[in-house]
Amino acid sequence: MSKKGGGAASILKLIVPAGKAMPSPPVGPALGQRGVKSMDFCKQFNDRTKDLILETPTPVAIYIKPDRTFTFAVKSPPTSWLLKRAAGVTKGAAQPGKETVGTVSLKHIFAIGQIKSKDPAMSHIDLQNICKSVIATAKSVGIKVVH
Amino acid sequence: MLARFALTQRKCISRGFAFTAIQRTAEAAAAATTSSTASEVTQQAKQKTITSSAAQGAVLKGLNIYKEGKDPVALKDEEYPGWLWTLLDVVPEEVKEERVRQRLQRSREIKEANFMKSKKK
């Protein structure tokens, strides 16, 4: 998170529940500090995420210009969250690598890869390599991948 | 020559150094020679006998993030691209070591090139 003050543009990265941007804790102070009206952001954000299931954690990057106007880019939900849902667990392993909390099939990995490939940041990466990253994330969360 | 041409056509971020393409061909050649026909045969055998834990028609729960959507359904094993079943294969040690070696060499060469370009006295 860039925290340049004064006349520089800054980037603010947050994870906001889809359709439910408003609460003070995550969004309010972070935006308020940079002089942006959080209500404006929340309205636009909720509008852009209206197709998503409510409260899906959605990473968003907010680009704030020196004149306090902003644009933002919405990305796909965190890979670890998707993996935990696919495996049917709520929490990841306390000691990943040593304990396994769930299993997931390669077909799940493929479906998650497809969701991730829609991200603009991933547009130039092969689906195969995206799937490899997803498998690595599964390892870091303690979810075992089987055929 | 053909192999190198095919690789440069791949969508990869070019760092402007010709040797990255050369390194990739070297790695491909090394992998081809180290992976003997025996491992190729076992790989093909694996492909024939792979059955996914998620059978066709199984609902992949929890992977739908849209209000108007449904959880994706698993397709037949054959309908997935071939590389999917190779993702869990163990990479042989020689290939890993080769990659590490190339990475070190590449970073050394980049640092040298940067130093030569820099105007620091």
Side-chain angles (χ1 to χ4, degrees):
Chain A
M1 274 193 254
S2 162
K3 283 193 178 162
K4 286 185 198 163
S10 54
I11 304 175
L12 182 58
K13 291 184 186 173
L14 298 167
I15 300 184
V16 189
K20 280 209 168 177
M22 189 60 237
S24 203
V27 176
L31 283 175
Q33 256 181 1
R34 290 160 180 75
V36 175
K37 297 216 169 67
S38 47
M39 199 61 209
D40 289 342
F41 168 72
C42 293
K43 276 197 196 141
Q44 290 182 31
F45 177 80
N46 290 338
D47 192 55
R48 240 194 255 184
T49 56
K50 63 179 188 293
D51 294 328
L52 295 177
I53 292 178
L54 219 55
E55 297 197 0
T56 306
T58 314
V60 57
I62 310 167
Y63 307 94
I64 303 168
K65 286 175 235 172
D67 60 356
R68 293 181 180 185
T69 54
F70 63 91
T71 50
F72 63 95
V74 169
K75 308 173 197 175
S76 53
T79 311
S80 56
W81 181 83
L82 287 166
L83 279 163
K84 282 185 247 175
R85 286 234 309 186
V89 294
T90 38
K91 271 196 165 189
Q95 291 189 319
K98 294 182 190 161
E99 52 168 312
T100 308
V101 288
T103 39
V104 138
S105 157
L106 277 178
K107 293 187 180 176
H108 288 99
I109 302 289
F110 189 79
I112 294 175
Q114 284 178 319
I115 297 175
K116 286 275 138 185
S117 66
K118 292 182 192 148
D119 245 5
M122 306 280 201
S123 58
H124 66 283
I125 303 180
D126 284 349
L127 186 55
Q128 180 177 0
N129 290 326
I130 293 178
C131 290
K132 279 190 195 171
S133 310
V134 176
I135 292 175
T137 309
K139 192 176 168 190
S140 72
V141 180
I143 290 177
K144 190 165 179 227
V145 183
V146 293
H147 276 110
Chain B
M1 281 305 277
L2 271 172
R4 194 193 292 184
F5 182 66
L7 280 169
T8 51
Q9 282 208 318
R10 209 200 279 167
K11 277 189 258 178
C12 56
I13 303 168
S14 165
R15 301 217 183 268
F17 289 97
F19 66 80
T20 46
I22 297 167
Q23 300 285 35
R24 285 208 181 96
T25 40
E27 181 189 308
T33 46
T34 50
S35 73
S36 57
T37 45
S39 64
E40 272 177 8
V41 166
T42 48
Q43 278 211 352
Q44 284 172 1
K46 253 193 193 170
Q47 280 180 343
K48 285 180 189 165
T49 55
I50 277 182
T51 41
S52 175
S53 56
Q56 184 202 3
V59 172
L60 304 172
K61 270 198 238 163
L63 290 180
N64 172 45
I65 54 175
Y66 297 102
K67 279 183 192 162
E68 301 290 322
K70 285 190 206 158
D71 287 332
V73 174
L75 307 166
K76 269 194 280 188
D77 293 358
E78 293 81 40
E79 290 176 26
Y80 286 95
W83 51 257
L84 185 67
W85 310 112
T86 64
L87 288 180
L88 291 179
D89 291 348
V90 175
V91 179
E93 281 299 314
E94 308 95 52
V95 176
K96 280 192 192 171
E97 282 170 17
E98 180 66 29
R99 284 183 191 163
V100 169
R101 228 177 295 137
Q102 287 178 1
R103 200 180 305 147
L104 285 174
Q105 191 184 348
R106 196 182 307 147
S107 82
R108 234 181 289 133
E109 285 173 6
I110 291 174
K111 283 181 182 164
E112 227 185 271
N114 288 342
F115 174 72
M116 297 311 254
K117 279 188 200 169
S118 80
K119 292 180 182 173
K120 283 187 186 166
K121 290 171 191 174

